[in-house]
Amino acid sequence: MTREQYILATQQNSLPRTENPQFYPVGIYGWRKRCLYFFVLLLLVTMIVNLAMTIWILKVMNFTVDGMGNLRVTKKGIRLEGISEFLLPLYVKEINSRKDSPLVLQSDRNVTVNARNHMGQLTGQLTVGSDAVEAQCKRFEVRASEGGKVLFSADEDEIVIGADRLKVTGTEGAVFGHSVETPHIRAEPSQDLKLESPTRSLVMEAPRGVQINAAAGDLKATCRKELHLQSTEGEIFLNADTIRLGNLPVGSFSSSSPSSSTPRQTIYELCVCPNGKLYLSPAGAGSTCQSSSNICLWS
């Protein structure tokens, strides 16, 4: 032991010692410690309950790797099984149903389908309500399932019906407020065709003629007042085996012989003058209308 170490050792032993030394404890004691344990226990219980609720929700909602519940996420998009309810707007590009089941869109009030452009402006709308089905668009078309033929189209200028046959089954027929342009009007087999205007006149016009044909029946034109047949540049041609004009007065005269007292029926011919008047003339007698354009309908 060196001299310095000896001196230091003797000096430490000669220091006075206190009888009551003071100690300073380190840590949490008392009510603070109990509160800390209580909060730690409460946090542990909360974590256990949260974990249990999370597992229960995952089990009830049927969460899987592909999706949740009836919702399945596939490569082609999202697939829903069963009935689904949307409380907020749904934005999709395409909606398809299964091959063996229809697609049903149901609402308590109405079903509205909107189409917008890239600026967000409404370009088309289809509303299916309890009272009516409304479509608002520039052009509305109905196409056939095979071939895509346009069966019906409507826009601001015209309405086009592209079907081979337009059939009206109403008891009152078809009512048109203005003119109708069609190349052919035909009734059903074994049914009558009737063109009627109850309060106004009925006009049929065509640049190359109007043809009315009854192949297996009679053709009847009836009016209440006057029937006019007019040809401005051509002629009116009546071609039939028998042409009859009913309700014409029948003339008779007495014999020129004074001994004969019974009237004798004679033969009359019906002629027409250039002014359109008809008259009866005894056959063989001098005509009162001497124009060269007299027409004798029958004799």
Side-chain angles (χ1 to χ4, degrees):
M1 181 180 296
T2 60
R3 182 178 179 180
E4 290 79 5
Q5 293 178 354
Y6 176 76
I7 294 172
L8 292 174
T10 56
Q11 289 179 356
Q12 290 178 358
N13 294 330
S14 62
L15 294 174
R17 295 182 179 180
T18 60
E19 295 181 357
N20 296 321
Q22 296 181 357
F23 297 96
Y24 296 95
V26 178
I28 301 175
Y29 299 94
W31 63 272
R32 294 183 180 87
K33 184 176 182 180
R34 288 191 294 270
C35 290
L36 179 61
Y37 287 162
F38 174 76
F39 283 118
V40 172
L41 181 61
L42 181 61
L43 179 61
L44 181 61
V45 173
T46 305
M47 291 177 60
I48 294 174
V49 173
N50 192 9
L51 181 60
M53 291 294 293
T54 303
I55 296 174
W56 179 77
I57 292 175
L58 291 176
K59 184 177 180 181
V60 171
M61 298 299 294
N62 193 14
F63 276 93
T64 59
V65 179
D66 298 332
M68 56 172 290
N70 296 329
L71 180 63
R72 295 289 182 269
V73 180
T74 61
K75 295 181 179 179
K76 297 181 180 180
I78 298 176
R79 181 176 179 179
L80 290 174
E81 298 288 345
I83 300 175
S84 302
E85 182 178 356
F86 299 93
L87 302 179
L88 296 177
L90 177 63
Y91 298 93
V92 296
K93 181 179 180 181
E94 185 177 356
I95 299 177
N96 294 325
S97 64
R98 296 176 56 181
K99 295 182 179 180
D100 55 349
S101 62
L103 177 63
V104 180
L105 301 178
Q106 184 176 356
S107 175
D108 295 338
R109 294 185 179 181
N110 54 39
V111 177
T112 303
V113 180
N114 295 332
R116 301 180 181 274
N117 55 12
H118 64 282
M119 299 295 294
Q121 299 176 352
L122 184 64
T123 58
Q125 185 181 67
L126 177 64
T127 303
V128 181
S130 59
D131 297 334
V133 178
E134 298 180 359
Q136 298 181 6
C137 54
K138 294 182 178 179
R139 183 178 178 84
F140 180 78
E141 292 184 357
V142 177
R143 294 181 176 270
S145 58
E146 298 180 359
K149 180 182 178 181
V150 178
L151 301 179
F152 177 84
S153 65
D155 54 18
E156 296 181 356
D157 299 330
E158 62 180 1
I159 296 177
V160 179
I161 299 177
D164 296 335
R165 176 182 298 179
L166 175 61
K167 185 176 181 180
V168 180
T169 59
T171 57
E172 298 295 332
V175 179
F176 300 95
H178 298 282
S179 62
V180 179
E181 182 178 352
T182 176
H184 190 193
I185 299 177
R186 183 179 61 184
E188 289 289 336
S190 70
Q191 297 294 331
D192 296 334
L193 177 62
K194 185 176 181 181
L195 302 178
E196 182 181 3
S197 178
T199 59
R200 294 294 186 271
S201 60
L202 178 62
V203 179
M204 292 185 293
E205 296 180 355
R208 299 186 63 180
V210 177
Q211 181 179 0
I212 302 176
N213 183 18
D218 298 335
L219 180 62
K220 183 178 181 181
T222 305
C223 64
R224 186 172 182 178
K225 291 185 177 181
E226 296 180 356
L227 177 63
H228 298 273
L229 298 177
Q230 181 180 0
S231 177
T232 57
E233 296 182 0
E235 61 181 1
I236 298 177
F237 181 69
L238 301 177
N239 184 12
D241 295 337
T242 303
I243 298 177
R244 296 181 180 180
L245 298 177
N247 298 327
L248 293 179
V250 178
S252 62
F253 70 98
S254 299
S255 175
S256 58
S257 173
S259 61
S260 177
S261 60
T262 59
R264 185 180 64 179
Q265 186 73 27
T266 187
I267 299 175
Y268 286 83
E269 60 182 4
L270 179 64
C271 298
V272 59
C273 292
N275 57 3
K277 293 183 179 181
L278 299 177
Y279 67 94
L280 292 175
S281 176
S287 176
T288 58
C289 186
Q290 302 297 331
S291 175
S292 60
S293 60
N294 291 345
I295 301 175
C296 184
L297 298 181
W298 84 79
S299 61

